[in-house]
Amino acid sequence: MFSPGSNPLPAEQENDWIGPAPQVMDALPGPKAEQLVRRDVAITSPSNTREYALVVKRARGSVVEDIDGNRFLDFAAGIAVCATGHCHPKVVEAIQKQAADLIHICGSDFYYPVMVELAEKLGAIAPWAGQDKTRVYFTNSGSETIEAAIKLARHKTGRKRIIAFHGAFHGRTMGSLALTASKFKQKLGFGPLIPMVSHAEYGTLDDIAGNLFTRHFPSEEVAAIFVEPIQGEGGYNIPPKEFLPALRQLCDKHGILMVADEIQSGIGRTGKWWACQHDDVIPDVVCSAKGLASGMPLGALITKESVMNWPPGAQGSTFGGNPVCCAAALATIGLVEGSYMENAVKMGEIVQSRLREMAERHRCMARSRGRGLMIGFDIVRGKNREQNNPDLRNRIIQEAFNRGLLLLPCGETTIRITPPLCINEAQIDVGLKVLDEVLATLGK
Ligand code: PMP
């Protein structure tokens, strides 16, 4: 049995009623998990990339229980999705209530209160709130939101070209995949993707101004520039402070729409509703999904009113803005607004200072960085920690799992820490102790 810190959680923690974590009984995967993994790999798509054999039975707050009864502390939140924690009682209640009233009627064809309420709420928290009115188009996922944003940008501007950045991840549908430039494996064998998409170096405008706009095409051909205010899958890269404001200026100068992909960084994860707000930048379009509905499939294309002027029939979706998902999103936003965004700031500061302190002891750690609870650090080797060490990164993540801590990789050699925004200090402490021990064991 592996149980560090033996139950350090305060008894009143509303979100942890399945018990404290980590608590790993035996070698993983356990017998039931092993059997299910065997059934899964025999039938599901081999494209799934499972980091480790976690087979989940249920989860609450920041605690995940597998089908053998092992409990894990969740520093991954289903890829930064379970914003309010797993199965928050208020989110569950909202889902159950809505499901009993209305599950589907199609928001593209008819009206219902919960979709309007959510759109109004998103208008109230949009980066331009108070200055501009908002329009919202609802989707089912991040990729679909990006897809809709590409269509809207072309439709609105009458221009065809799109610029995205190296290291970007915007999704896997044919349009959003064309913008993705994170790992070539994600594109290999799928082309041709949509044409007239170009990539530039992230964090600087030199490539756009000095290369694309001089050697490849005039700026007047560009409909939109898509940017993650903090790159997610590409490695939790935070751009230099001047980057987003300069990009905003460039877009204004050339009549280009600035589209912020806040699918991973939005909904309070970084301690503000949107990561672009850390740099006081107001984009024209915000793409949201992931944390928006705490795990229910919902995306939102949120634009300044003037941008979304396509006519009836130009865009639509059968499931987009599903009532149950909208109810979950309203509950999520309420909770994030209530205390979780503030908690993300506090807990994020604790994590970052602990990581800095750990990096003094562990020579395999470098470049810890983050905002709120969107935090990453790199695993490296070499005298000056100058070489990436993805093999060790992967082994660290595996060993953390063996000891009951769920982590996810991103970029070439990064470990990300993206727990639910409700995580408490005791849980952060235990999780980082586990990480510390794993680094001490493997990182010598
Ligand atoms: N954009 C960003 C920034 C993302 O992180 C992701 C998902 N990792 C997507 C788009 C695509 O979202 P989905 O998987 O819901 O299609």
Side-chain angles (χ1 to χ4, degrees):
M1 159 124 19
F2 187 80
S3 173
S6 66
N7 193 4
L9 300 179
E12 68 278 9
Q13 265 302 307
E14 59 166 355
N15 278 329
D16 299 295
W17 68 86
I18 63 174
Q23 214 155 81
V24 178
M25 259 92 74
D26 234 323
L28 296 172
K32 287 184 186 159
E34 200 174 346
Q35 207 186 25
L36 197 106
V37 168
R38 232 180 286 127
R39 282 171 57 201
D40 179 289
V41 296
I43 190 85
T44 70
S45 168
S47 62
N48 291 325
T49 49
R50 273 66 178 267
E51 297 297 333
Y52 37 77
L54 173 69
V55 182
V56 181
K57 181 183 173 203
R58 57 183 187 156
R60 300 287 184 275
S62 302
V63 177
V64 172
E65 190 176 285
D66 80 359
I67 56 171
D68 293 295
N70 299 302
R71 283 199 299 270
F72 301 83
L73 193 50
D74 190 358
F75 273 19
I79 327 188
V81 167
C82 303
T84 55
H86 295 276
C87 303
H88 191 289
K90 292 209 166 111
V91 175
V92 172
E93 191 192 343
I95 290 170
Q96 286 173 335
K97 194 164 169 297
Q98 184 59 51
D101 278 349
L102 175 72
I103 293 178
H104 176 80
I105 190 74
C106 187
S108 289
D109 287 339
F110 305 106
Y111 309 89
Y112 43 88
V114 78
M115 190 165 98
V116 179
E117 277 167 42
L118 178 58
E120 286 171 352
K121 189 72 207 176
L122 290 171
I125 63 169
W128 49 81
Q131 294 176 30
D132 259 305
K133 286 191 182 159
T134 297
R135 285 199 180 274
V136 184
Y137 169 76
F138 288 108
T139 71
N140 306 283
S141 70
S143 297
E144 200 191 331
T145 310
I146 297 291
E147 206 69 33
I150 296 170
K151 289 175 73 177
L152 180 66
R154 284 185 170 172
H155 195 277
K156 164 74 186 164
T157 62
R159 303 173 176 186
K160 305 263 182 297
R161 293 191 186 277
I162 307 283
I163 296 175
F165 292 95
H166 295 302
F169 188 95
H170 293 295
R172 293 181 184 265
T173 53
M174 293 307 240
S176 64
L177 185 59
L179 271 56
T180 290
S182 172
K183 296 189 181 92
F184 71 77
K185 205 180 194 180
Q186 293 157 347
K187 286 179 161 171
L188 196 65
F190 296 127
L193 306 171
I194 66 159
M196 306 192 90
V197 173
S198 306
H199 289 89
E201 196 183 328
Y202 186 68
T204 167
L205 295 193
D206 295 352
D207 211 13
I208 298 180
N211 195 15
L212 296 182
F213 287 179
T214 49
R215 296 198 171 107
H216 293 275
F217 45 79
S219 58
E220 302 84 69
E221 289 188 358
V222 180
I225 300 181
F226 282 64
V227 63
E228 291 163 274
I230 298 175
Q231 279 192 337
E233 306 304 307
Y236 277 34
N237 303 317
I238 304 178
K241 193 89 193 133
E242 64 280 2
F243 174 60
L244 291 175
L247 191 63
R248 175 70 272 181
Q249 273 184 1
L250 179 111
C251 288
D252 286 341
K253 186 171 162 203
H254 299 291
I256 297 169
L257 292 172
M258 182 178 184
V259 181
D261 180 344
E262 297 264 9
I263 287 164
Q264 189 151 169
S265 55
I267 308 296
R269 173 142 301 273
T270 68
K272 293 188 187 282
W273 282 117
W274 314 106
C276 62
Q277 293 174 318
H278 289 279
D279 297 324
D280 292 322
V281 163
I282 301 179
D284 302 299
V285 177
V286 168
C287 297
S288 180
K290 281 199 188 279
L292 175 59
S294 289
M296 294 297 282
L298 182 70
L301 179 65
I302 309 161
T303 79
K304 291 178 185 166
E305 189 188 31
S306 58
V307 176
M308 197 179 283
N309 62 354
W310 46 20
Q315 178 68 352
S317 162
T318 299
F319 293 128
N322 167 277
V324 184
C325 299
C326 287
L330 277 168
T332 299
I333 291 172
L335 287 162
V336 172
E337 202 163 42
S339 66
Y340 291 163
M341 188 149 51
E342 210 182 307
N343 190 55
V345 177
K346 279 195 208 136
M347 295 303 121
E349 277 165 12
I350 293 171
V351 174
Q352 291 228 53
S353 83
R354 287 279 297 276
L355 287 178
R356 278 194 294 274
E357 179 266 312
M358 280 161 68
E360 288 171 19
R361 288 182 284 110
H362 301 295
R363 299 205 49 79
C364 66
M365 280 177 84
R367 302 184 284 267
S368 73
R369 60 204 177 263
R371 289 210 164 111
L373 284 172
M374 185 169 185
I375 297 170
F377 61 96
D378 291 351
I379 299 299
V380 294
R381 66 178 161 193
K383 209 159 152 254
N384 300 314
R385 310 186 192 201
E386 71 284 356
Q387 282 169 283
N388 291 342
N389 197 346
D391 288 345
L392 179 59
R393 186 267 312 264
N394 297 344
R395 283 194 287 126
I396 288 167
I397 289 174
Q398 179 64 49
E399 185 53 26
F401 167 65
N402 292 340
R403 296 174 188 228
L405 176 67
L406 304 182
L407 294 169
L408 279 173
C410 62
E412 194 199 330
T413 198
T414 304
I415 292 177
R416 55 181 144 180
I417 296 183
T418 57
L421 307 184
C422 62
I423 197 158
N424 64 41
E425 201 173 335
Q427 291 171 317
I428 294 279
D429 184 51
V430 177
L432 290 178
K433 271 191 190 136
V434 174
L435 179 64
D436 207 353
E437 285 168 17
V438 173
L439 291 167
T441 311
L442 298 180
K444 279 180 252 146

